[in-house]
Amino acid sequence: MHNSKTKTLKIRTSERRSGLYALFGALLLSLMVAGGAWSCSDDENGESDGGSQGAENDAPDSGDSDGDSGGDGDSDGDSDGDAPGDEDDAPVERAACELVPEGFGPAGTAEITVEVVASGLSVPWSIGILPGGDLLVTERYGAVGRVRDGELVEPPVATIDIDPEGEGGLLGLAMQPDFETNRLFYTYHTEDDPSGAFNRITRWSLAEDGLSASVDRVVLDGIPAGRFHNGGRIRFGPDGFLYIGTGDAIDPDSSQDTMSLAGKILRIDEDGGVPSDNPFPGSATWVYGVRNTQGFDWLDDGTMVMTDHGPTGRPWENGREGHDELNAALPGDNLGWPDTYACEEAEGQLPPSMVWFEAMPPGGTAIYRGSEVPEWQGDVFIGVLGFGEQEIGHLHRARLNETF
């Protein structure tokens, strides 16, 4: 955000405003395509107008942004759904993958008001909402800031020595579910270590005056780091466990190793232990076959909705490009990377619900549970970082069909 003061502007949901996704993109700027496994509508009553449509699997001449990616604007608040993994024993019916062949979908018609909440931030990546309405904000270059009444409080609550190389740095932030009583929060950052960079989850204690924080403990260490693909989103799930999105750290094969921390959604307890009901005994892995996720949330039935960045044509990815993903995943699912991408299918691997031919790339992902726009209840929102000709970030809205 580059504005120097708070302002309000009314825009159509199809308009795109640079930087809004990066921190406080509270509502939406664009709708996704209708039909198939995921659908959307620009009707005021929110009814879907599409059915399933077929698509080709040709590779596009595009890719995700392997550079200075910012955050998404979603908060770390807990979802209100059932505990993940509570599905019954019946086989899960999955819809066919749908490829969006061009662009990002039809324009919406609902008018929304966008307000700049704070400015003067350096690559804001994640936010946590404090009791009373103040915000904790991670800035990728190492500061945990506090926003109060629209102003960034100086000095920062905490400053972390980070590895500044590539896409790493200070990324995710999550408030402990009992924060009001224990004042604990968590961060995900890339550690600058002489023996080689790695990503770390740290638990912090916020001082009573809210102006400083001290390290409580390192919760998880040794998450592989690379110049690209560090993941970084952390959130407490509706079951009270901490979920961590990691990238493959440019070692694609690690995504298929369930004992590796790279290329995964991980699930641990608040102290870093592996829950006994994780799908792979002794492993933090919850979902694998991931390239570089930066956003996920949960449906009311416990299904995880997550996005993943498609490849960029680099040699270690066999020249494949584009095809950012939207997935609906259950515990133990293999999303296929690097064996498959786009809408490709293979035995034991789950294809995406939706794939974009043109690179977005997707940042944070959240289910809308607000009350301001009732017709958006339960819809999926994606902070889009922007790339190439679509370099201006915007927000997408997706609606789920009963089968995804």
Side-chain angles (χ1 to χ4, degrees):
M1 301 180 181
H2 305 293
N3 303 67
S4 58
K5 61 181 181 180
T6 298
K7 66 177 182 179
T8 300
L9 55 151
K10 185 157 283 192
I11 60 176
R12 295 182 67 240
T13 53
S14 60
E15 291 185 276
R16 298 166 180 170
R17 301 289 181 180
S18 178
L20 291 177
Y21 66 89
L23 180 59
F24 304 113
L27 293 178
L28 327 143
L29 311 179
S30 184
L31 293 181
M32 288 202 330
V33 340
W38 303 80
S39 62
C40 70
S41 170
D42 56 5
D43 295 339
E44 288 300 323
N45 62 9
E47 294 179 357
S48 173
D49 61 356
S52 182
Q53 301 173 356
E56 299 290 334
N57 290 338
D58 297 331
D61 185 19
S62 60
D64 76 345
S65 175
D66 277 338
D68 209 22
S69 60
D72 65 311
D74 69 3
S75 75
D76 65 282
D78 296 339
S79 299
D80 296 326
D82 297 330
D86 284 349
E87 69 279 358
D88 57 34
D89 294 332
V92 178
E93 184 180 0
R94 310 277 187 144
C97 174
E98 176 145 351
L99 177 69
V100 182
E102 183 178 4
F104 301 114
T109 58
E111 289 191 340
I112 61 173
T113 297
V114 176
E115 179 181 346
V116 177
V117 178
S119 60
L121 296 158
S122 177
V123 196
W125 216 94
S126 193
I127 64 174
I129 302 174
L130 296 170
D134 284 7
L135 306 173
L136 289 184
V137 184
T138 58
E139 298 181 78
R140 201 171 70 83
Y141 296 109
V144 179
R146 181 168 184 149
V147 174
R148 174 178 292 167
D149 297 327
E151 299 291 333
L152 186 62
V153 178
E154 295 290 353
V157 167
T159 301
I160 303 172
D161 289 332
I162 55 97
D163 184 343
E165 184 74 12
E167 294 175 347
L170 176 55
L171 306 176
L173 180 146
M175 312 300 292
Q176 213 273 353
D178 295 323
F179 176 84
E180 290 195 48
T181 57
N182 61 29
R183 305 189 66 78
L184 298 176
F185 67 94
Y186 295 69
T187 60
Y188 181 118
H189 78 275
T190 311
E191 182 77 7
D192 187 7
D193 188 87
S195 62
F198 58 88
N199 293 306
R200 169 180 287 173
I201 307 294
T202 305
R203 187 165 72 196
W204 298 78
S205 178
L206 187 67
E208 288 298 325
D209 63 7
L211 299 179
S212 64
S214 58
V215 172
D216 178 72
R217 66 180 294 171
V218 173
V219 172
L220 184 63
D221 228 347
I223 301 171
R227 177 175 175 80
F228 307 128
H229 310 168
N230 289 285
R233 187 67 55 204
I234 57 175
R235 301 187 69 165
F236 277 91
D239 56 2
F241 290 103
L242 181 63
Y243 290 77
I244 304 159
T246 69
D248 68 11
I250 59 176
D251 178 15
D253 290 341
S254 65
S255 296
Q256 287 296 313
D257 179 359
T258 59
M259 297 307 293
S260 169
L261 299 177
K264 308 290 187 300
I265 296 289
L266 307 174
R267 177 183 185 245
I268 60 175
D269 66 29
E270 63 184 61
D271 296 320
V274 174
S276 60
D277 60 347
N278 272 12
F280 305 99
S283 171
T285 296
W286 188 248
V287 173
Y288 67 114
V290 175
R291 181 177 178 271
N292 189 34
T293 183
Q294 293 183 348
F296 52 89
D297 203 347
W298 292 267
L299 304 178
D300 287 342
D301 67 359
T303 301
M304 177 177 282
V305 177
M306 57 177 291
T307 53
D308 198 10
H309 290 207
T312 57
R314 298 180 185 275
W316 60 82
E317 297 179 327
N318 298 322
R320 295 175 293 181
E321 294 182 315
H323 297 91
D324 298 319
E325 299 179 2
L326 181 61
N327 299 274
L330 297 173
D333 275 346
N334 179 359
L335 303 188
W337 180 255
D339 300 339
T340 60
Y341 92 123
C343 286
E344 295 173 351
E345 297 187 23
E347 184 176 356
Q349 298 182 346
L350 178 69
S353 296
M354 178 166 281
V355 170
W356 289 267
F357 186 91
E358 299 178 13
M360 301 175 78
T365 302
I367 308 295
Y368 181 76
R369 302 183 186 278
S371 58
E372 294 294 325
V373 188
E375 61 267 32
W376 289 350
Q377 269 287 338
D379 289 349
V380 180
F381 293 100
I382 305 168
V384 174
L385 305 178
F387 180 73
E389 294 181 0
Q390 307 291 343
E391 63 183 2
I392 298 176
H394 62 281
L395 291 172
H396 265 36
R397 172 190 175 205
R399 172 160 297 166
L400 283 68
N401 288 339
E402 291 184 3
T403 300
F404 46 82

